[in-house]
Structures are given as C-alpha cells and as structure tokens.
Amino acid sequence: MSLLFLVRHGQASFNAEDYDQLSARGMEQARQLGLYWVGLKLNFDFVYVGPRRRHRQTLDAVGAAYREHGLNLPEAVVLPELDEHFGYDVLTRSLPGLMKSNPAIREMKEKLHKDSDTLQRDYLRLFQKVTRLWVRGELDLSDLEAWHEFRDRVQRGLAKLTEAAGSKKKVAAFTSGGPVAAAMGFALNLDDEKTLELSWMVRNAAYAEFLFSRGRFSPVTFNALPHLTDPHLLTFI
C-alpha cells in the first residue's frame, strides 16, 4: 500500500485584487505544516502541485521548512487536474440574473459590505447557495466545466499520480478544497451535492490521507490540522 497526502493551500487573499496568492497567515499555516512533517521525519517519494500560484506557494513554504532542517522534497510535478472547480466564475456570471429572479439571493447579495465584520461569513453563504444551484443543473452555464466534469477531471489526476507511484510510496499533492473533497467523494462514493458540501468544510492548509494500491483508494484522515495549534491560524477562507 502507498499513502497520499492531499493538501489544501494556505489562506489565500480574500477580498484583495488578486485572490490567487497566500496571505501572511496562509504562509505561516503552510510553514507550520512543513515543520510538523519534518518533526515526523516524513519523507516523500513524489510531490505534485496544482497549477495555481496559491498551490505552489503552499508547497514552497513547506519545502522551505524542510530545507531549514537540511532536508529536501522531490521536485514537484505540476498536475493540471488538481485545479479548483469554477465555482467563483459560476457565482460572478450567474449573480446578475439571479438577483432579478431569486429574492433570497438578492437579499443575500445586498447584505455584502466590503468592510463588514461578517463579510467572509455572508460571502460564503451566498457562494454556497449559488453553487448548489449549479451542481443541481439549475444554471445555464454550458460553456464552463460542469461539476460532474470537474469530479471526473480530479479522478483522472488521482489515477495518474497513484499509477505513477507504485507500491509502498509516500506522495504529497498540493491543491484546493474542491479537489480534496472530490477525492474524498470518490473514495466514499458520495453523490454530487454531498461532495460539494464536503468542499465547504476543508480548512486552509489541512490535509487528507488516502491509502492506495491497484484497485483501492481508501480514506484515512480528512481535514487534518495537527500542525495548527494556534486558533488564529484556523481558517476556511
């Protein structure tokens, strides 16, 4: 059996012009993950990283912690299949029409204020409401990758990295919350909505572990955060 550690990126830059980069808190979350793994003397045979900057920055912070202790990670292979789903695009493109046709969504959108103390919570509620409609097929966005296509894409990526690893190997992969949930959904045979709901639960810099071999892909842990003992570092977005 081999073991896969699937890591969600550290906190990105919510409410900034460029979301796709780690915040200072996100960098520290990733650094703490690296230090924790170093303490466990955890050596990897293969490392994969998704295509986004936040994925790479999380990997780089973990790698820096390894180098501080005279250790190195294997050279990372970029795996495009580990990219996040198109939920943000779904929200921004469908929101104008939904505000006209859906009173509940209009009310939720009108509550969003950039400087509000509840901005993250209110945004997440709106995001969840709209993406649930998308997953149910109630939004006409045929030019975007559909939810089931996203899940298929992640499964193809998992097949690539597990087949390349062989037996008795340790693999780390750095990605986003959606692919982590998709992997867990695949392992547990969850339906589309349950997998979507699971994606909302994945914390920043948390990891899931999966045992795998030919014909087997089994979950061991989900949303693991033993490296983040400071409550200030526990975040969702």
Side-chain angles (χ1 to χ4, degrees):
M1 299 294 291
S2 292
L3 187 60
L4 167 65
F5 293 76
L6 198 56
V7 183
R8 187 192 175 194
H9 60 79
Q11 184 188 57
S13 298
F14 176 76
N15 205 26
E17 287 188 12
D18 184 5
Y19 170 79
D20 190 25
Q21 57 183 344
L22 295 193
S23 66
R25 185 181 296 178
M27 293 294 291
E28 182 61 19
Q29 291 167 336
R31 177 176 176 274
Q32 289 299 322
L33 174 59
L35 292 174
Y36 177 75
W37 280 352
V38 167
L40 294 179
K41 297 181 172 57
L42 190 54
N43 294 309
F44 292 98
D45 300 288
F46 300 94
V47 172
Y48 293 86
V49 62
R52 299 295 173 175
R53 190 186 315 157
R54 58 191 184 272
H55 304 156
R56 173 63 68 170
Q57 289 175 338
T58 302
L59 164 61
D60 288 346
V62 170
Y66 268 66
R67 290 191 297 276
E68 286 175 20
H69 292 80
L71 302 171
N72 287 290
L73 295 174
E75 183 175 352
V77 175
V78 177
L79 196 61
E81 288 88 347
L82 294 180
D83 200 1
E84 183 61 289
H85 58 68
F86 285 88
Y88 176 78
D89 300 84
V90 168
L91 177 63
T92 55
R93 287 177 52 176
S94 61
L95 200 52
L98 287 171
M99 287 187 66
K100 296 177 182 178
S101 63
N102 191 310
I105 288 178
R106 181 169 62 250
E107 181 180 355
M108 294 171 73
K109 176 63 171 67
E110 290 172 349
K111 286 182 63 177
L112 290 180
H113 298 287
K114 186 171 184 178
D115 299 322
S116 170
D117 292 338
T118 62
L119 176 62
Q120 287 192 2
R121 184 195 67 191
D122 294 339
Y123 175 85
L124 189 58
R125 288 181 61 221
L126 178 63
F127 181 80
Q128 292 171 350
K129 181 81 170 178
V130 173
T131 52
R132 192 186 296 276
L133 294 175
W134 172 51
V135 167
R136 290 174 177 172
E138 297 179 23
L139 300 178
D140 184 14
L141 296 166
S142 57
D143 58 322
L144 288 180
E145 179 185 60
W147 179 255
H148 69 89
E149 293 171 329
F150 159 71
R151 294 188 67 181
D152 289 346
R153 184 238 300 163
V154 173
Q155 190 169 337
R156 289 195 302 272
L158 293 173
K160 285 183 180 180
L161 67 85
T162 55
E163 289 169 7
S167 62
K168 298 181 180 179
K169 303 296 184 182
K170 289 186 176 67
V171 182
F174 296 81
T175 181
S176 291
V180 174
M184 191 62 67
F186 168 57
L188 297 177
N189 197 29
L190 300 180
D191 64 25
D192 283 341
E193 279 201 54
K194 290 297 183 184
T195 302
L196 175 68
E197 291 169 4
L198 200 61
S199 73
W200 303 333
M201 299 296 104
V202 185
R203 289 184 182 266
N204 293 119
Y207 62 87
E209 295 172 83
F210 300 89
L211 281 172
F212 66 90
S213 62
R214 184 179 297 275
R216 178 178 176 182
F217 188 78
S218 303
V220 179
T221 62
F222 174 71
N223 232 8
L225 288 166
H227 50 292
L228 299 185
T229 57
D230 180 354
H232 178 69
L233 294 177
L234 299 176
T235 60
F236 285 104
I237 58 175

